Amino acid sequence: QVQLVESGGGLVQAGGSLRLSCAASGRTVSSYAMGWFRQAPGKEREFVAGTRWSGGNTYIADFADSVKGRFIISRDSSKNTVILQMNSLKPEDTAVYYCAADREITTATMKDPNEYAYWGQGTQVTVSS
């Protein structure tokens, strides 16, 4: 079992930045795919960013078109943590952000929330205009 705990959400003005962290426990997640998803009120959960191990020290990252160039995903293996750095935030980025993990994710399935077995409780991000 993998337990995930997100932190770092909050209220920020448009154009600002936030740094979300996802701390994993129970197992080392270095070989797991890690994804960030978000869900706004009345909307379905959507993919934001993900990173998947591709062998050795190499990870593949992918991003939703809406956040490309603004968000960065990284790992701190020493802390078993995944970071989502969010820059140039927009009001439409407002949502609850969730961290997810799974060992069987491929490039084709990284953006599908149904493919992830482990989820955090979520952290609220609110961007004011």
Side-chain angles (χ1 to χ4, degrees), residues 46-123:
E46 64 174 2
F47 173 80
V48 176
T51 171
R52 180 175 68 85
W53 182 63
S54 65
N57 292 321
T58 303
Y59 291 88
I60 297 172
D62 199 3
F63 299 88
D65 289 343
S66 59
V67 307
K68 281 181 180 177
R70 299 189 297 124
F71 290 12
I72 300 169
I73 188 169
S74 61
R75 293 179 182 245
D76 185 340
S77 297
S78 66
K79 298 180 180 180
N80 217 25
T81 297
V82 176
I83 306 297
L84 184 67
Q85 178 67 41
M86 306 187 296
N87 302 317
S88 302
L89 282 162
K90 304 175 181 180
E92 50 263 45
D93 294 319
T94 295
V96 177
Y97 282 70
Y98 297 90
C99 176
D102 198 276
R103 290 196 65 178
E104 304 299 327
I105 297 294
T106 66
T107 299
T109 62
M110 184 180 288
K111 297 182 179 180
D112 185 352
N114 296 313
E115 295 292 330
Y116 290 79
Y118 305 105
W119 289 85
Q121 82 290 348
T123 185

